[in-house]
Amino acid sequence: GSSRGSRRDNRIRTDGLQTDTFPTATFKLRDPLELPALTSGKVAEVEAMGDLTLHGVTKLTTVTLQVKASGE
């Protein structure tokens, strides 16, 4: 039921991601992204290297982003 879900959510906030203590995470790119040629309506993947701050700790990491052309 919902009480089990709320207990789980509370546990994640306090023990897991600790969103009560660290409500935000940030990712700051190290360098501008090189985007591939984008075809309208198609999704492309690009690797982005940057500083991820989570739980008050910053680490260099690479994440995969999905990009899609929108308009011009």
Side-chain angles (χ1 to χ4, degrees):
S2 64
S3 65
R4 183 174 21 189
S6 64
R7 281 196 307 265
R8 179 201 60 225
D9 292 348
N10 286 338
R11 175 117 189 202
I12 288 172
R13 281 194 290 272
T14 59
D15 296 342
L17 293 176
Q18 298 177 324
T19 55
D20 285 347
T21 306
F22 304 103
T24 59
T26 61
F27 181 78
K28 183 178 178 185
L29 285 174
R30 285 273 177 117
D31 297 303
L33 289 178
E34 294 279 336
L35 295 179
L38 297 175
T39 304
S40 183
K42 301 254 182 191
V43 175
E45 290 190 347
V46 31
E47 299 289 313
M49 184 185 304
D51 295 311
L52 176 65
T53 303
L54 185 63
H55 287 197
V57 177
T58 302
K59 293 184 180 181
L60 178 64
T61 190
T62 301
V63 297
T64 302
L65 302 175
Q66 293 183 332
V67 295
K68 182 168 88 170
S70 174
E72 301 284 326

